[in-house]
Amino acid sequence: MKVCEISKRKISVFLSLIMVVCTLCSCRLPFFEDDRTPGEKKYPEFITIDVFDVQSNTRGIQRGWFAKIVRDKFNMQLNIIAPNQEGHGNAIFESMRASGNIGDLIFIGAEDGNLRDLVREGLILDMTDYIKDCDNLLKYEDQIRLTSANADAEGLFAIPSEISSNTEVGEADFSEPTNAPSIRWDLYRELGYPQVNTLEELLPVLSKMQQNAVKSDSGKNVYAFSLFSDWDGDIMQNAGAIASLYGYDILGFVLMDPETGEMESVADENSAYFRALDFFFEANRLGLVDPDSPYQNYDTVASKYRDGAVLYSFWPWMGQSLYNSETRLREGKGFASLKIEDASYVTWGNDPGGKQSFSMMIGKNTKDPQRMVDFANWLFSREGIECSGSPTGDFRGPEGLTWEMTDDGPRFTEFGIKAFIDMEENLEVPEEYGGGLWSQGVSALNFKPVDVQDSDENGVPYRYQLWDDYTSRSKTVIYSDWSRLYGTEKEPIAYFKENDMLTIIPGVEWGGFAYPEYLQTIEDQCRQTIVDHSWKMVFASTRADYDFLKKDMLSTLDKLGFDQVLEYNLKAAKEKQQLFDAAFKGDT
C-alpha cells in the first residue's frame, strides 16, 4: 500500500510539473483544448506597440472591433501617438527623433527629405529581409521601391498609401470632387435655390440658411462654419480648402494650378489665400463662424456636424458621412454640393504609385520587426483593406458584420445598415467582434492601403458607396432634388467635369523637397507667422484691425527673409509642374 501511495504521489507530481512547464512554454497537452488565437500561437509574447501617425485623429490605445482583429491576429495592441491631437505635435516628433525612437510603426510623409533624413539617422528599418514571404506587399513591390528611393539608400523603407490600380490620368474620386462647397441642401432649398456666382455671394445665402436653422438637434447654436486648427501646416488649412475651390494645389507657400501652370505666393497681396481669409473675416462679422473655432480640433468639429450644428462642409465626404443618415435623408435633410459659377474644384487624380505623402514605415529599434512587417502585409490583404479605412467610413468593414456576399452582389447586413446608412451614433458591436461602439472601434490609423475605387479579387468594390445596394438605399429627396435643379442624372463629379468646373491634380511620383539647413529656421518662423496672423485676421473685430494684421504679417515675413524661402518653393513647384505637364500629355 505504501509503495502504491508513493507511486501515485510521484505520478501526481510528475503531471503537475508537465502542466506547469506547458503553461510556461505556452503549449497544450493533447487532452486540453487549444483556445489560443492565431496571434498567440504565432507570436507567444503579447506586446504593446507605439504607432506614430501624423494623420490620426485619435490618440491612446486602439479599442473595439479593430483592436480585437489586431490582437487575434498579432497578439498585440496599438498605442497611437497622434501629433494632430497634441498642442505641440512637431515638438513631440522632434523629441522622439532625438531619443532615437519614433515608434514601432510610423505613418508619415516619405517626401520632402523626411525619409532620407530618418534613414540616415538610423531610425527606419530596411524591410528587404522581412518581406520575402509577404505575398500582399510583394504585389506592390514596385511602388514600395519607388517610395523608398526617397531615402537615397539601398533598401525597402516605406510603403505608400492609396495605391491605385488605374494608371490613366483622371479623377480618383468617384462621386464628389475632393474639394467642393457642400452645404445643408434642405435649408438651401427653403430659400428657393439662389444662384451663387462667386465665393463672396455664398455668404448672404449661408446667413439666411443659418437664420432658418435656428438650433441643432441638441439645441445648440448653428453656424455656417466651424473651423479647426489641428490640420494647419505651412498655412491655415481651412483657408487652403477655400483656395482649392478655385483650382489651387498648395506646395509650401506656393499656390499652383496644375492644369494652367499658374503660380502665386500665399503672401501676394491679392492671392487666393488672402481671398479666403477675407471671406472668413466677413463671415465672422456676419456671425457665421463658430466662436469656438480657434480652440477645437477635428474630432470636436465632427461631433458638431453629427448634431446638425454646421451648415458648410469643406469636403463633401465630411458633411455627408457625418450628417447624412438614412433617417435624415428620408426627412429631406442632408448635405449636397453647390455650384459656384466661377469656381473650379480641386480633385485628386489616380495614383498608381501610391501617395508618398502618407507612407508606412517601421522603426529600426522595434522589438519584433517581422511581426511589424507581417502586420503591414495584413493591412494590404483583402481583410486588412476592408477593415482599415478612415473614420469617415471609406471602406466596407468586416465581412459578416457589416456586409455579406449574395447572388445579387454585396449587400449590407442589418448591422451594416445601422452603421453606414442610419449612422447610429451609439451602435453596439456584438461581443464576438470585440464589443464597444462601432464608431469608437474604427481603425485610428486613418491609413487607406489602396485607392477608394479599387476592388478585391472578386471584383467587389472596397468602398460600399459603389454598391448597388447603397445606391438604392441612398437615392432620396436630396439627391433627386439636386439632379433636378442642375438638370443631370450624373454624379456631381461628372457634372462638374462636364461643365469645366474641375481641376485634376494628377498622381505623380514626386519626392518633394527639403529646405537646406540655413533656410529651415526661417521657414519655421514664416510658417508660424502666417498661421498665427491668419487666425487673428479671421477673428479681427474691425476691418481696420484686419488690414493692420495683414500688413503686419507681410512686414514680418519680409523681415524674416520670406523671399528666400519662397524662391526655394517656386523652384520645387516648377519641378512638380513639369511632372503634371508630362502626366497630362501621357508621358509618364
Side-chain angles (χ1 to χ4, degrees):
M1 290 293 292
K2 290 183 179 180
V3 173
C4 186
E5 288 177 2
I6 293 172
S7 297
K8 286 180 180 180
R9 283 198 295 271
K10 287 183 177 179
I11 292 172
S12 178
V13 171
F14 179 68
L15 289 173
S16 297
L17 287 172
I18 291 177
M19 292 181 70
V20 170
V21 171
C22 283
T23 300
L24 292 174
C25 296
S26 297
C27 66
R28 296 290 188 274
L29 290 172
F31 45 84
F32 283 96
E33 182 181 351
D34 190 347
D35 58 356
R36 293 175 300 163
T37 65
E40 289 171 330
K41 292 175 184 176
K42 187 172 183 179
Y43 314 100
E45 181 186 0
F46 174 76
I47 59 174
T48 298
I49 63 169
D50 288 333
V51 182
F52 185 88
D53 192 329
V54 297
Q55 287 194 12
S56 178
N57 294 305
T58 305
R59 61 182 173 183
I61 299 297
Q62 170 78 55
R63 304 293 183 187
W65 61 267
F66 187 75
K68 184 178 188 303
I69 295 174
V70 173
R71 182 158 190 161
D72 287 351
K73 288 186 171 295
F74 300 98
N75 199 24
M76 67 184 190
Q77 66 180 1
L78 311 177
N79 176 44
I80 310 295
I81 301 167
N84 267 351
Q85 299 295 299
E86 306 289 349
H88 304 283
N90 193 57
I92 291 173
F93 172 70
E94 292 301 336
S95 176
M96 294 176 70
R97 185 175 178 176
S99 74
N101 184 359
I102 50 177
D104 300 279
L105 296 177
I106 302 115
F107 293 87
I108 198 172
E111 80 290 51
D112 297 345
N114 285 345
L115 182 61
R116 181 197 63 202
D117 293 344
L118 295 176
V119 169
R120 285 181 180 176
E121 293 167 21
L123 299 176
I124 304 299
L125 178 77
D126 178 3
M127 295 177 280
T128 303
D129 293 334
Y130 299 94
I131 71 166
K132 295 174 181 177
D133 297 320
C134 296
D135 53 343
N136 300 312
L137 290 180
L138 290 175
K139 293 177 188 175
Y140 303 105
E141 186 175 1
D142 289 344
Q143 289 89 341
I144 296 172
R145 289 193 180 280
L146 196 62
T147 302
S148 298
N150 291 323
D152 290 338
E154 281 294 321
L156 302 177
F157 300 99
I159 307 166
S161 61
E162 299 186 54
I163 300 172
S164 174
S165 61
N166 192 339
T167 59
E168 296 181 5
V169 173
E171 59 276 13
D173 297 296
F174 67 92
S175 178
E176 298 273 5
T178 309
N179 284 81
S182 187
I183 63 173
R184 275 282 300 280
W185 193 262
D186 51 304
L187 296 171
Y188 179 63
R189 182 177 61 236
E190 289 180 12
L191 302 181
Y193 314 105
Q195 182 170 308
V196 178
N197 295 304
T198 67
L199 175 68
E200 289 71 22
E201 287 186 13
L202 180 59
L203 291 180
V205 174
L206 288 170
S207 184
K208 292 175 183 176
M209 288 169 57
Q210 182 174 311
Q211 292 170 22
N212 289 350
V214 187
K215 295 291 183 179
S216 72
D217 292 352
S218 67
K220 295 178 181 177
N221 291 334
V222 173
Y223 296 97
F225 303 99
S226 194
L227 314 180
F228 55 98
S229 61
D230 49 321
W231 289 8
D232 289 349
D234 292 324
I235 61 174
M236 180 184 180
Q237 200 282 333
N238 293 162
I242 295 296
S244 292
L245 299 181
Y246 287 87
Y248 288 104
D249 184 21
I250 301 168
L251 190 151
F253 301 119
V254 174
L255 298 172
M256 53 191 299
D257 185 323
E259 293 190 352
T260 66
E262 295 178 9
M263 298 180 190
E264 62 181 39
S265 165
V266 296
D268 282 350
E269 284 275 359
N270 300 308
S271 70
Y273 182 69
F274 278 130
R275 182 182 182 183
L277 293 180
D278 191 81
F279 174 75
F280 281 143
F281 166 72
E282 292 294 344
N284 188 54
R285 292 182 70 184
L286 292 170
L288 298 177
V289 181
D290 184 349
D292 293 338
S293 293
Y295 320 109
Q296 59 191 7
N297 59 22
Y298 171 84
D299 276 354
T300 306
V301 174
S303 68
K304 294 183 177 182
Y305 276 95
R306 294 188 188 98
D307 188 37
V310 189
L311 306 180
Y312 181 97
S313 175
F314 295 109
W315 310 274
W317 58 262
M318 187 176 186
Q320 292 180 17
S321 67
L322 295 170
Y323 184 80
N324 288 17
S325 66
E326 185 178 35
T327 300
R328 285 176 173 144
L329 290 173
R330 279 198 302 263
E331 295 172 350
K333 299 178 180 178
F335 279 84
S337 295
L338 177 71
K339 182 179 181 181
I340 298 179
E341 298 293 335
D342 70 338
S344 182
Y345 309 142
V346 159
T347 194
W348 291 97
N350 301 315
D351 198 343
K355 291 193 182 302
Q356 299 181 0
S357 57
F358 189 50
S359 297
M360 180 182 185
M361 307 167 198
I362 295 170
K364 191 168 185 179
N365 296 320
T366 187
K367 184 176 181 180
D368 193 341
Q370 187 61 63
R371 196 181 327 190
M372 299 303 100
V373 177
D374 290 347
F375 176 70
N377 186 60
W378 173 77
L379 281 178
F380 280 83
S381 70
R382 172 180 162 176
E383 183 185 37
I385 293 168
E386 69 185 12
C387 291
S388 61
S390 77
T392 52
D394 292 291
F395 293 164
R396 63 200 187 195
E399 184 176 5
L401 175 62
T402 56
W403 70 284
E404 59 190 4
M405 196 63 192
T406 71
D407 293 339
D408 297 322
R411 297 188 67 83
F412 296 110
T413 61
E414 183 179 341
F415 182 91
I417 291 171
K418 293 177 180 178
F420 297 138
I421 306 299
D422 296 339
M423 294 192 286
E424 290 187 13
E425 287 190 40
N426 298 314
L427 180 60
E428 291 280 350
V429 176
E431 285 300 323
E432 62 189 285
Y433 287 95
L437 297 182
W438 165 258
S439 59
Q440 293 177 351
V442 171
S443 169
L445 301 178
N446 209 358
F447 182 82
K448 295 175 238 180
V450 299
D451 185 79
V452 294
Q453 295 194 56
D454 273 25
S455 302
D456 63 25
E457 66 276 10
N458 297 316
V460 179
Y462 284 112
R463 187 158 185 165
Y464 62 80
Q465 290 95 331
L466 293 171
W467 298 351
D468 291 340
D469 192 28
Y470 177 80
T471 302
S472 64
R473 294 177 184 277
S474 62
K475 290 297 183 185
T476 55
V477 173
I478 293 294
Y479 300 107
S480 298
D481 196 52
W482 185 93
S483 297
R484 185 168 54 253
L485 176 65
Y486 293 129
T488 181
E489 293 298 322
K490 297 181 176 180
E491 295 284 352
I493 193 168
Y495 171 76
F496 293 133
K497 185 176 183 180
E498 181 181 67
N499 284 270
D500 197 26
M501 293 181 61
L502 212 61
T503 298
I504 297 174
I505 301 179
V508 296
E509 309 326 316
W510 164 249
F513 68 98
Y515 292 103
E517 285 188 20
Y518 76 93
L519 278 183
Q520 189 62 62
T521 300
I522 298 175
E523 190 273 338
D524 287 343
Q525 294 172 331
C526 290
R527 180 177 66 244
Q528 199 62 50
T529 297
I530 290 173
V531 172
D532 288 349
H533 278 71
S534 295
W535 279 95
K536 291 176 183 177
M537 288 165 66
V538 169
F539 288 93
S541 56
T542 66
R543 170 58 70 173
D545 287 343
Y546 176 92
D547 291 338
F548 172 80
L549 286 165
K550 180 178 179 180
K551 184 177 180 181
D552 188 60
M553 178 205 289
L554 296 175
S555 173
T556 302
L557 290 175
D558 186 53
K559 293 174 183 176
L560 290 172
F562 178 75
D563 285 348
Q564 299 176 65
V565 180
L566 180 62
E567 182 181 357
Y568 207 81
N569 282 177
L570 285 168
K571 179 183 176 183
K574 290 173 183 175
E575 292 174 357
K576 190 173 185 180
Q577 185 61 46
Q578 290 177 350
L579 297 177
F580 286 154
D581 293 341
F584 283 124
K585 292 176 183 177
D587 296 337
T588 56

